[in-house]
Amino acid sequence: MSRLIFVLNGPNLNLLGKRQPNIYGHETLADVEQTVISLAKELRLEIRFHQSNREYEIVDWIHEARETAGGIIINPAAFTHYSVAILDALNAFDHPVIEVHISNVHKREEFRHRSFVSLRADGVIAGLGTQGYTLALRRLAQLIDEKSQAQT
Ligand code: DQA
Protein backbone atom coordinates (compact mmCIF):
# COMPACT_ATOMS: atom_id res chain seq x y z
CA MET A 1 0.00 0.00 0.00
CA SER A 2 1.49 3.31 -1.09
CA ARG A 3 2.28 5.78 1.70
CA LEU A 4 2.05 8.70 -0.71
CA ILE A 5 -0.84 11.11 -0.07
CA PHE A 6 -2.07 13.78 -2.47
CA VAL A 7 -3.40 16.95 -0.82
CA LEU A 8 -5.40 18.85 -3.43
CA ASN A 9 -6.80 22.37 -3.12
CA GLY A 10 -9.24 24.10 -5.41
CA PRO A 11 -9.83 27.66 -6.57
CA ASN A 12 -9.02 30.72 -4.48
CA LEU A 13 -7.26 28.70 -1.79
CA ASN A 14 -4.02 30.30 -3.02
CA LEU A 15 -5.41 33.41 -1.29
CA LEU A 16 -5.75 31.68 2.07
CA GLY A 17 -4.73 34.07 4.87
CA LYS A 18 -5.68 37.12 2.77
CA ARG A 19 -9.16 36.19 1.58
CA GLN A 20 -12.07 36.62 4.03
CA PRO A 21 -9.93 35.87 7.12
CA ASN A 22 -13.08 36.09 9.25
CA ILE A 23 -14.19 32.88 7.51
CA TYR A 24 -10.94 31.16 6.53
CA GLY A 25 -8.47 32.41 9.16
CA HIS A 26 -5.03 34.00 8.89
CA GLU A 27 -2.91 30.99 8.02
CA THR A 28 -1.62 30.80 4.45
CA LEU A 29 -1.72 27.72 2.24
CA ALA A 30 2.09 27.55 2.55
CA ASP A 31 1.65 27.36 6.36
CA VAL A 32 -0.85 24.53 5.91
CA GLU A 33 1.53 22.72 3.55
CA GLN A 34 4.40 22.95 6.08
CA THR A 35 2.22 21.66 8.92
CA VAL A 36 0.96 18.78 6.79
CA ILE A 37 4.49 17.86 5.65
CA SER A 38 5.89 17.87 9.18
CA LEU A 39 3.06 15.65 10.47
CA ALA A 40 3.51 13.36 7.46
CA LYS A 41 7.16 12.80 8.48
CA GLU A 42 6.00 11.69 11.93
CA LEU A 43 3.45 9.35 10.36
CA ARG A 44 5.96 8.04 7.79
CA LEU A 45 3.88 9.36 4.90
CA GLU A 46 4.94 11.25 1.80
CA ILE A 47 3.00 14.28 0.53
CA ARG A 48 2.26 15.85 -2.85
CA PHE A 49 0.60 19.18 -2.06
CA HIS A 50 -1.08 21.09 -4.90
CA GLN A 51 -3.44 23.99 -5.50
CA SER A 52 -5.10 25.11 -8.71
CA ASN A 53 -7.77 27.49 -9.89
CA ARG A 54 -8.32 25.20 -12.92
CA GLU A 55 -10.61 22.20 -12.74
CA TYR A 56 -8.66 20.15 -15.30
CA GLU A 57 -5.45 20.37 -13.26
CA ILE A 58 -7.21 18.88 -10.26
CA VAL A 59 -8.63 16.11 -12.47
CA ASP A 60 -5.11 15.43 -13.83
CA TRP A 61 -3.63 15.22 -10.30
CA ILE A 62 -6.34 12.75 -9.29
CA HIS A 63 -5.39 10.64 -12.33
CA GLU A 64 -1.74 10.80 -11.23
CA ALA A 65 -2.75 9.80 -7.69
CA ARG A 66 -4.62 6.82 -9.19
CA GLU A 67 -1.29 5.39 -10.34
CA THR A 68 0.82 6.28 -7.30
CA ALA A 69 -1.03 7.24 -4.10
CA GLY A 70 -2.62 5.47 -1.13
CA GLY A 71 -5.02 8.29 -0.31
CA ILE A 72 -6.29 11.75 -1.24
CA ILE A 73 -7.18 14.73 0.93
CA ILE A 74 -9.15 17.21 -1.13
CA ASN A 75 -10.54 20.65 -0.48
CA PRO A 76 -12.19 21.25 -3.85
CA ALA A 77 -13.33 24.74 -2.72
CA ALA A 78 -16.09 26.05 -5.04
CA PHE A 79 -15.71 22.98 -7.33
CA THR A 80 -17.20 20.96 -4.45
CA HIS A 81 -20.61 22.29 -5.25
CA TYR A 82 -20.78 21.61 -9.00
CA SER A 83 -17.90 19.58 -10.40
CA VAL A 84 -19.05 16.29 -11.87
CA ALA A 85 -15.59 16.00 -13.49
CA ILE A 86 -13.86 15.92 -10.09
CA LEU A 87 -16.42 13.44 -8.75
CA ASP A 88 -15.88 11.18 -11.78
CA ALA A 89 -12.10 11.34 -11.37
CA LEU A 90 -12.38 10.47 -7.65
CA ASN A 91 -14.68 7.57 -8.53
CA ALA A 92 -11.80 6.16 -10.58
CA PHE A 93 -9.47 6.30 -7.53
CA ASP A 94 -9.44 3.08 -5.49
CA HIS A 95 -8.11 4.26 -2.10
CA PRO A 96 -9.51 6.44 0.72
CA VAL A 97 -10.58 9.99 -0.02
CA ILE A 98 -11.19 12.62 2.68
CA GLU A 99 -12.96 15.87 1.81
CA VAL A 100 -11.92 18.89 3.88
CA HIS A 101 -13.55 22.30 4.21
CA ILE A 102 -11.99 24.96 6.40
CA SER A 103 -15.36 26.59 7.07
CA ASN A 104 -18.56 24.89 8.15
CA VAL A 105 -20.26 24.86 4.76
CA HIS A 106 -23.55 23.76 6.35
CA LYS A 107 -23.73 26.98 8.34
CA ARG A 108 -23.33 29.08 5.19
CA GLU A 109 -25.33 29.76 1.98
CA GLU A 110 -27.60 26.99 0.80
CA PHE A 111 -25.61 26.38 -2.42
CA ARG A 112 -22.67 25.30 -0.23
CA HIS A 113 -24.72 22.58 1.45
CA ARG A 114 -24.52 20.40 -1.62
CA SER A 115 -21.29 18.50 -2.35
CA PHE A 116 -20.70 16.33 -5.41
CA VAL A 117 -17.43 15.17 -3.85
CA SER A 118 -19.24 13.86 -0.75
CA LEU A 119 -20.87 11.24 -3.01
CA ARG A 120 -17.40 9.64 -3.17
CA ALA A 121 -15.56 10.79 -0.03
CA ASP A 122 -15.01 8.23 2.73
CA GLY A 123 -15.03 11.03 5.27
CA VAL A 124 -15.81 14.74 5.41
CA ILE A 125 -14.37 17.37 7.75
CA ALA A 126 -15.89 20.85 7.78
CA GLY A 127 -15.63 23.82 10.08
CA LEU A 128 -12.49 22.79 11.99
CA GLY A 129 -10.34 25.41 10.29
CA THR A 130 -7.04 24.38 8.75
CA GLN A 131 -6.72 21.70 11.46
CA GLY A 132 -9.05 19.67 9.23
CA TYR A 133 -6.07 18.85 6.99
CA THR A 134 -3.96 17.30 9.76
CA LEU A 135 -6.95 15.41 11.17
CA ALA A 136 -7.61 14.01 7.70
CA LEU A 137 -3.96 12.98 7.42
CA ARG A 138 -4.08 11.13 10.76
CA ARG A 139 -7.16 9.26 9.58
CA LEU A 140 -5.51 8.25 6.30
CA ALA A 141 -2.40 7.08 8.18
CA GLN A 142 -4.58 4.88 10.35
CA LEU A 143 -6.47 3.43 7.37
CA ILE A 144 -3.22 2.71 5.51
CA ASP A 145 -1.60 1.12 8.58
CA GLU A 146 -4.67 -1.05 9.21
CA LYS A 147 -4.69 -2.21 5.60
CA SER A 148 -0.95 -2.96 5.61
CA GLN A 149 -1.31 -4.98 8.81
CA ALA A 150 -4.22 -6.94 7.37
CA GLN A 151 -2.03 -7.82 4.38
CA THR A 152 0.86 -9.23 6.50
C1 DQA B 1 -14.34 25.88 1.21
C2 DQA B 1 -15.85 26.13 1.21
C3 DQA B 1 -16.36 26.36 -0.20
O1 DQA B 1 -17.77 26.56 -0.20
C4 DQA B 1 -15.71 27.61 -0.79
O2 DQA B 1 -16.11 27.79 -2.12
C5 DQA B 1 -14.22 27.61 -0.65
C6 DQA B 1 -13.59 27.03 0.53
C7 DQA B 1 -13.77 25.77 2.64
O3 DQA B 1 -12.63 25.30 2.77
O4 DQA B 1 -14.42 26.12 3.61
O5 DQA B 1 -13.53 28.18 -1.48
O6 DQA B 1 -14.08 24.67 0.53
Side-chain angles (χ1 to χ4, degrees):
M1 181 78 166
S2 168
R3 298 189 73 83
L4 175 64
I5 305 295
F6 274 54
V7 183
L8 303 178
N9 294 281
N12 302 303
L13 287 168
N14 53 313
L15 296 180
L16 198 65
K18 296 177 201 148
R19 160 202 188 208
Q20 296 182 283
N22 54 318
I23 296 176
Y24 299 112
H26 291 278
E27 249 189 304
T28 66
L29 199 61
D31 295 332
V32 175
E33 180 175 6
Q34 275 194 355
T35 307
V36 165
I37 287 173
S38 75
L39 177 63
K41 278 191 190 131
E42 248 176 68
L43 299 172
R44 293 176 302 110
L45 295 169
E46 206 190 317
I47 300 292
R48 295 268 191 289
F49 196 100
H50 296 296
Q51 186 277 332
S52 183
N53 297 326
R54 299 172 190 86
E55 190 180 26
Y56 77 88
E57 278 193 310
I58 294 175
V59 169
D60 285 350
W61 286 323
I62 296 169
H63 292 176
E64 200 184 318
R66 191 172 180 273
E67 305 295 327
T68 55
I72 294 177
I73 296 169
I74 184 163
N75 181 350
F79 292 148
T80 308
H81 313 300
Y82 64 91
S83 177
V84 177
I86 290 176
L87 170 64
D88 284 350
L90 289 170
N91 276 332
F93 179 75
D94 292 331
H95 300 298
V97 173
I98 305 200
E99 176 182 351
V100 171
H101 299 286
I102 296 165
S103 65
N104 181 359
V105 281
H106 300 288
K107 214 175 158 185
R108 300 180 65 193
E109 302 95 323
E110 208 170 320
F111 68 85
R112 294 185 205 276
H113 299 178
R114 177 178 187 190
S115 167
F116 281 83
V117 170
S118 290
L119 293 168
R120 165 62 181 88
D122 298 291
V124 182
I125 297 173
L128 301 187
T130 53
Q131 196 188 356
Y133 288 85
T134 50
L135 294 170
L137 192 63
R138 285 189 187 279
R139 176 66 182 160
L140 285 183
Q142 186 171 328
L143 291 174
I144 289 173
D145 289 343
E146 280 171 8
K147 214 166 192 175
S148 307
Q149 274 164 16
Q151 280 165 358
T152 54

